[in-house]
Every structure is written in structure tokens, then in C-alpha cells.
Amino acid sequence: MRLGVMFDRDLPPEQLIPFARELDETTVDDLWVVEDLGWTGGISAAATALAVTSRLRVGIGITPAPLRNPMLLAMELANLARVHPGRLAAGIGHGVQDWMRQVGVAASSPLALLEETITSVRALLRGETVTLDGKSVRLDGVSLVHPPAEPPPVLAGVKGPRSLALSGRVAQGTIVPEGVGPAQVPGILEQIDGGPEHELVVFTYLHTGDGAAEATGAMVAGQAEFLGISPDEVVMAAGTPAEAAAQVKAFWAAGAYTVALRPLGADPLRHVHAVLSAL
């Protein structure tokens, strides 16, 4: 079981360095960085976090396949994996379709694009020469000059049934978004059907103490719309530190391998330290 913490996309990018350094001194296993359209780039954020820490695994959650040519993505991931062996996890997803349309890269077949991207990126990271004439990805005899000796795990950031099944077939792990609760985890694992080595990462909002509704209301409302549920169905680790810690334990008990907390508010690490004390 692993515990991760996300550097929220709304935090100023220059705060990532002190955030990562402080987190590196705790017992947290992972630091997750974000790639959402208009915020910050996931590769550059991961490189920054890896460079200023010595212990944490840094997860990229999540690079949109439509924005990333798989050869270029493999080159970037291989570079990080060689410089920081064993400390990278690479999430790849469909991308929010409205955002992808805004920048003119919406895929005609998002499922095919994601499968072909993950399959080719993993093969390239293994040092293979890849030729693929797919529905969305076309590569002609390409390979990495410097493949990593220890390829980083590639995870699919997905939520729908067909995408979960795809993740189980081609990825080494699955990232599910904030709002999912422990009760849903067994069903998600069944849909993934990825075997015992397949890592399930669950993102979840975190807020301890008073003022949770004010700090999380707008975020929760937007996530509820994204998931197609009502705001009161969005599950989060909130309340007292003990209550938030109990939610983390419930995710682990339900079968999630990694719980990645997304602390909200102006002082995010305060909530992290509170949960760590309760755990």
C-alpha cells in the first residue's frame, strides 16, 4: 500500500520546489503532478520534483495522449527514468475532450489513440524498435538511443468501463479520478481485470478541520459534473484528521494500492501532516 500527495494545479508553480522538499522529509511514498490544459506541463513539473528530492516516486497524472506524440513522450520519460531510476510513474489518459477540441487535437477514436499510445510508449521504453500503422498512431522503425535500464511503469488515467478494460489489457496500472469512493473500488478492479501486479491509484480530495465546504465546494461541483454524479456523491477524505485517515484506510481495504491525496486550500501540507499523524 502506498500513500501519495498531489501538488494541486492551482498552486503557483514556483511552490513546487519547497512543497516537494518538505514532502520528501515525510513518510509519504509519492508526489503526483498534474497536466491539465492551461495550467502546467507534467513532464517539466516531474523533472523539477525529481531533481529536488531523493526518495519520493514522482507520478505524472495525467499526460493527454492527443497532446503527446508517443515517440516524444517516450523520449521524455526515458530521460527522466535514466536520471532518476525507479522514481517515476507515467500516467497517460484520453484528455478532457472539450479541452482537446479547443486545441484542435480531439481524436476520432479516443480508445484507439490511448491503446496505441500506451502500447508504443511501453515498447519504446523497453528498448524495442517500433513500427505501427494504427488508427491514430503511426511510427516507422523508431527506437530510443538511450532506453532506461528500468522502464517506468505506465498507467492509464481513465474512468469509463471500456477505458478501464483497455487499461487492464495494455497498462501496468490505472489511475481513477477524484470523487470515486471505496465502495466503487471492487467494481473498478473487476472491470480492469489487470491481475495482481496491476496498480490501482485512486486520487481523492483532502481537507481536514473546519471550512471544508468553503474550500472544496467549487472543486467538488466541477468534479461532480465531470463524473456525471451529484456533488453529494463525490467522496473525499475530509473532517477530522482521524476521519480523513479512516477514508484512506477504507480505500486500501477496498483494494486500492495507492491513495493519492489532493489537499485543497491555501496551506495544503498542513492537511497532509494532520493525516500522517492520524495514520
Side-chain angles (χ1 to χ4, degrees):
M1 297 182 293
R2 303 180 66 92
L3 182 67
V5 172
M6 181 186 294
F7 182 75
D8 191 78
R9 67 187 187 183
D10 286 334
L11 292 170
E14 60 272 18
Q15 289 185 14
L16 175 58
I17 291 175
F19 186 99
R21 285 175 171 160
E22 183 172 340
L23 206 63
D24 202 36
E25 299 299 319
T26 71
T27 57
V28 167
D29 301 292
D30 294 354
L31 167 59
W32 288 84
V33 295
V34 181
E35 181 161 282
D36 282 344
L37 189 68
W39 275 267
T40 60
I43 301 295
S44 58
T48 300
L50 285 163
V52 299
T53 57
S54 60
R55 182 190 60 80
L56 291 168
R57 180 177 76 163
V58 175
I60 301 172
I62 306 158
T63 55
L67 277 179
R68 295 283 187 176
N69 179 279
M71 183 60 188
L72 179 59
L73 181 55
M75 291 162 58
E76 297 280 20
L77 297 175
N79 196 25
L80 293 179
R82 285 187 67 108
V83 177
H84 307 282
R87 295 183 53 216
L88 177 67
I92 307 174
H94 295 298
V96 176
Q97 293 307 298
D98 285 347
W99 291 348
M100 298 302 99
R101 281 189 285 270
Q102 279 186 282
V103 292
V105 295
S108 58
S109 177
L111 282 168
L113 174 60
L114 184 59
E115 180 162 1
E116 291 166 7
T117 297
I118 291 175
T119 300
S120 55
V121 166
R122 289 191 62 193
L124 289 163
L125 291 172
R126 291 193 298 265
E128 299 175 15
T129 298
V130 177
T131 295
L132 175 62
D133 186 15
K135 291 182 179 179
S136 301
V137 172
R138 290 168 181 83
L139 301 172
D140 184 9
V142 295
S143 61
L144 296 173
V145 175
H146 300 294
E150 185 178 349
V154 176
L155 300 85
V158 291
K159 62 186 178 73
R162 295 171 64 196
S163 297
L164 290 168
L166 182 155
S167 179
R169 290 195 310 273
V170 303
Q172 292 154 286
T174 302
I175 304 166
V176 294
E178 301 89 338
V180 168
Q184 297 163 270
V185 168
I188 288 170
L189 288 169
E190 185 176 350
Q191 291 178 80
I192 294 169
D193 192 23
E197 299 302 315
H198 191 94
E199 179 182 0
L200 178 64
V201 180
V202 178
F203 288 169
T204 191
Y205 296 120
L206 169 67
H207 192 281
T208 60
D210 298 330
E214 293 80 3
T216 65
M219 187 75 73
V220 167
Q223 192 67 4
E225 183 178 356
F226 173 68
L227 295 174
I229 60 178
S230 64
D232 60 0
E233 294 178 283
V234 173
V235 175
M236 58 186 297
T240 67
E243 289 170 336
Q247 189 68 269
V248 173
K249 293 177 182 178
F251 276 117
W252 284 332
Y257 186 77
T258 300
V259 178
L261 301 169
R262 182 178 178 180
L264 300 177
D267 188 9
L269 287 176
R270 173 179 68 84
H271 306 293
V272 174
H273 289 301
V275 168
L276 289 177
S277 296
L279 287 169

